[in-house]
Amino acid sequence: MVGLLTFPLSLLADRWGRVRSLVLMAVIWSVATLFCAVAANYEQLLAARFLVGVGEAAYGSVGIALVLSVFVPRVHSTLSGAFMAGGSFGSVVGVSLGGVIAVHLSWWWSFAAMAVLGLILVAMFRAVVTERRLTEHAVDQDTATANRPDGPPIRVPVSTLFTTPPPGARTSAAAWWCAA
């Protein structure tokens, strides 16, 4: 579901609002995880895991877009790395905590604990992040790149990926930078 729905849900999030979309996806993920805890058979567990994928589908793309909209482009790589590392770190902590809970209680309680934790995080996110606050703190990307001391960004047409440059032409960003 993540692979199939990431692009369409990301398009919807751009139209509907990133904060609302993230809250909805996180609620779907948390409730679906809770459904995993109460599944009575394989079919119910499969359907619940299907819904977990639906909730997870737009998280990465919409989340990173939201984070990057508030900061200047020169820190985008750092923030993208931190965002991706946070997701990986959260997965490791979730699986570890879920394993400890499963050993001491049962696997049902592992799902229930993750669902409750997800809903708590949704409430915290909704209390702190709003579309209004994002608009207030949003960075004008054009102004941020136009005022760079090292010059304008390099823009190369996509068609150059499929053509052979003429002899003596600048063929890399490094060559362009050195010639500038």
Side-chain angles (χ1 to χ4, degrees):
M1 291 319 311
V2 173
L4 292 174
L5 294 178
T6 295
F7 183 69
L9 290 177
S10 298
L11 287 173
L12 285 174
D14 280 339
R15 286 162 180 74
W16 195 45
R18 293 174 181 159
V19 173
R20 256 191 282 175
S21 298
L22 283 173
V23 168
L24 178 64
M25 292 296 117
V27 168
I28 289 172
W29 182 91
S30 298
V31 171
T33 302
L34 190 58
F35 287 161
C36 291
V38 297
N41 56 43
Y42 173 77
E43 290 79 16
Q44 289 177 358
L45 183 60
L46 182 64
R49 295 301 295 163
F50 170 85
L51 288 174
V52 167
V54 171
E56 210 173 288
Y59 164 76
S61 59
V62 178
I64 195 68
L66 184 130
V67 170
L68 296 181
S69 71
V70 183
F71 294 93
V72 295
R74 66 182 169 80
V75 294
H76 284 183
S77 295
T78 303
L79 292 169
S80 297
F83 185 84
M84 292 171 69
S88 297
F89 181 75
S91 294
V92 169
V93 170
V95 168
S96 300
L97 183 60
V100 168
I101 293 170
V103 165
H104 288 72
L105 300 172
S106 75
W107 65 269
W108 293 295
W109 284 107
S110 297
F111 281 114
M114 294 302 115
V116 169
L117 183 58
L119 291 170
I120 289 169
L121 290 174
V122 168
M124 289 171 46
F125 177 81
R126 188 65 185 119
V128 174
V129 182
T130 64
E131 292 287 348
R132 185 184 54 78
R133 286 185 183 158
L134 285 177
T135 304
E136 289 174 8
H137 298 289
V139 172
D140 181 11
Q141 301 297 328
D142 294 331
T143 304
T145 56
N147 295 333
R148 288 181 18 196
D150 58 343
I154 299 170
R155 300 208 188 270
V156 180
V158 174
S159 63
T160 60
L161 292 171
F162 307 105
T163 60
T164 304
R170 290 181 256 158
T171 57
S172 69
W176 180 87
W177 181 255
C178 293

